[in-house]
Amino acid sequence: MRFTVSSTALSSKLVALSRVINSKNALPILGDFVFDVSEQTLRLTASDSENTMQTTVELTDSDGDGRFAIGNHDLLEAVKGFSEQPITFDVDLQSNIAKITYQNGLFSLPTENADEYPTAQTVGDAATTIVISNQMLAENINRSIFATAQDELRPVMNGIFFDLTPDCLAIVASDGHKLVRNKIYSIKSDQPASFILPKKPATLLKNLLGKDGGDVTIRFDERNAEINYGDGIILCRLIEGRYPNYNSVIPQNNPNELRVDRSGLLAALRRVQPFANDSSNLIRFHVDGSTLQLDAEDYDFSKTATERMSCDYNGQTMSIGFKGSSFIEVLSNFDCPEIVIQLADPSRAGLVLPSEQPENQDVLMLMMPMLLND
């Protein structure tokens, strides 16, 4: 079997696929890429047994069809260094050797029988389908993934929750201390359905999705999801379990509203946070009239910091504590110039919203307060 492919096209696809492969695998063949040549098209596959990624590359020339597996590391290191040029694979499926020829030389690598490669779990016929724009899905994953947990006792918190309802599609992530809820009103269904996307396939999508304006089709059942993102497919096993009722923790009546410049507050928090106690990372927010004061202190090392900034506030004077590093993460995952912080009292969660919501969406982030010592 012999075929020729563009070096840069092959390299970009293999780099994306390599992110699926684990450094250590229970099955050695899961350290390989699978090459499947059929009708002038090369289909590439990589997997870690729970997540499988497939993509295709058009061949410039092909003589014969066939399948083989080849180790990811050596091949990837070799093709990453090529400038744009044709690469020819000459594969002997009997002796399990692939000779790869390029402009200035050649190298050969052993291959394995692709039939030994595990097959991915497919989605059933009764699957639910969601169609969402490439850019919107990328934005929502980017905005949410930082809030997922790493909790062995509650694995449902370790992924992003997609909740399809008659009103909207809600995309939610929470670690119990912070929460992100994105509502997309242009996607809804009379038949409610939901799934929890694990962090690894979510991270893969975050790196793959661009702004090409295409659509992503997600098909899912109780156990698996198939995500078709244009020039490739991700098949993944979902996190099983019941996601907590996220709406119940969002306070509804927040009469105290603070409007402040996002980048200014983010810069101030980054200056003040190093002075906070290492174990608690507590930052005191004291708001009075048009002034927001941030205080951090670590009396064990005689460190304190205070910074004031102007704001627009229409509530009662209040001091409330938040974890500095978490608030920095929240602010970093907005892209608006101004944010609104809604507060009820120092013991209830604070809501952080963009000053202007994206079209057909409702973005909300929640921060649980910390107890102040005075």
Side-chain angles (χ1 to χ4, degrees):
M1 180 178 64
R2 185 184 179 91
F3 61 90
T4 303
V5 62
S6 156
S7 61
T8 51
L10 179 64
S11 176
S12 65
K13 301 288 188 182
L14 292 181
V15 168
L17 286 174
S18 67
R19 297 189 180 109
V20 185
I21 299 173
N22 290 333
S23 55
K24 295 180 180 179
N25 296 289
L27 294 174
I29 200 168
L30 287 174
D32 292 0
F33 297 119
V34 173
F35 282 59
D36 189 343
V37 177
S38 177
E39 299 178 356
Q40 298 289 320
T41 300
L42 168 63
R43 176 184 283 112
L44 296 163
T45 303
S47 177
D48 65 359
S49 80
E50 293 196 346
N51 305 286
T52 300
M53 190 169 156
Q54 297 178 336
T55 187
T56 56
V57 187
E58 289 300 315
L59 299 175
T60 52
D61 186 38
S62 174
D63 177 15
D65 297 346
R67 297 175 72 235
F68 64 93
I70 191 166
N72 82 89
H73 185 265
D74 292 334
L75 179 62
L76 191 60
E77 289 302 310
V79 301
K80 269 200 303 191
F82 287 144
S83 57
E84 170 55 39
Q85 59 182 283
I87 301 178
T88 299
F89 284 71
D90 201 339
V91 185
D92 187 334
L93 297 176
Q94 300 301 317
S95 59
N96 292 326
I97 289 290
K99 292 182 179 178
I100 297 99
T101 308
Y102 55 101
Q103 280 178 355
N104 299 320
L106 64 88
F107 57 90
S108 63
L109 288 170
T111 65
E112 294 186 70
N113 185 351
D115 293 338
E116 297 174 12
Y117 203 81
T119 55
Q121 293 288 324
T122 55
V123 176
D125 294 335
T128 303
T129 301
I130 295 173
V131 180
I132 182 171
S133 79
N134 187 312
Q135 184 175 349
M136 186 177 286
L137 181 58
E139 288 173 354
N140 277 276
I141 289 176
N142 280 329
R143 197 184 289 133
S144 306
I145 197 166
F146 81 96
T148 54
Q150 290 184 323
D151 190 337
E152 293 181 3
L153 298 177
R154 293 187 299 169
V156 293
M157 306 293 283
N158 298 343
I160 299 177
F161 183 51
F162 286 68
D163 190 14
L164 186 61
T165 70
D167 300 321
C168 64
L169 170 66
I171 299 177
V172 182
S174 178
D175 62 2
H177 303 287
K178 54 187 179 286
L179 177 144
V180 179
R181 187 199 65 191
N182 312 280
K183 285 185 174 180
I184 303 171
Y185 293 111
S186 56
I187 302 173
K188 52 186 122 178
S189 172
D190 292 334
Q191 296 293 324
S194 62
F195 69 94
I196 306 171
L197 183 68
K199 198 176 299 186
K200 183 169 180 176
T203 304
L204 291 171
L205 283 168
K206 174 184 170 182
N207 294 323
L208 289 166
L209 298 176
K211 298 182 179 180
D212 60 6
D215 285 338
V216 177
T217 302
I218 304 172
R219 295 179 63 246
F220 64 94
D221 56 23
E222 291 182 353
R223 287 175 171 262
N224 302 292
E226 175 188 293
I227 304 165
N228 190 322
Y229 56 90
D231 64 348
I233 296 173
I234 291 177
L235 298 158
C236 63
R237 191 172 298 162
L238 301 173
I239 298 175
E240 296 183 47
R242 187 179 183 87
Y243 202 80
N245 182 358
Y246 56 90
N247 285 313
S248 67
V249 301
I250 300 172
Q252 299 303 312
N253 183 24
N254 306 285
N256 304 298
E257 190 169 283
L258 166 68
R259 189 177 290 260
V260 66
D261 178 72
R262 182 188 69 88
S263 57
L265 177 57
L266 182 57
L269 279 169
R270 284 177 170 153
R271 285 189 291 268
V272 169
Q273 189 221 359
F275 295 85
N277 181 277
D278 285 343
S279 59
S280 68
N281 209 239
L282 170 67
I283 305 284
R284 180 201 306 268
F285 285 60
H286 179 78
V287 62
D288 184 5
S290 59
T291 302
L292 169 62
Q293 179 172 311
L294 304 174
D295 295 297
E297 56 193 31
D298 186 353
Y299 289 129
D300 293 340
F301 294 94
S302 302
K303 296 192 300 184
T304 63
T306 296
E307 184 159 338
R308 296 178 187 86
M309 60 186 298
S310 60
C311 66
D312 184 5
Y313 183 59
N314 64 356
Q316 62 185 17
T317 300
M318 186 185 303
S319 288
I320 185 169
F322 290 114
K323 186 173 183 177
S325 56
S326 295
F327 217 104
I328 287 171
E329 283 185 308
V330 165
L331 294 178
S332 300
N333 284 281
F334 281 109
D335 56 7
C336 54
E338 197 174 54
I339 55 140
V340 175
I341 304 173
Q342 295 180 348
L343 304 168
D345 61 61
S347 64
R348 293 172 66 191
L351 303 182
V352 187
L353 318 167
S355 55
E356 288 188 23
Q357 293 285 1
E359 185 179 358
N360 276 331
Q361 295 187 67
D362 181 358
V363 178
L364 173 151
M365 300 196 192
L366 175 148
M367 283 285 300
M368 295 303 292
M370 298 181 70
L371 185 65
L372 294 172
N373 292 328
D374 50 29

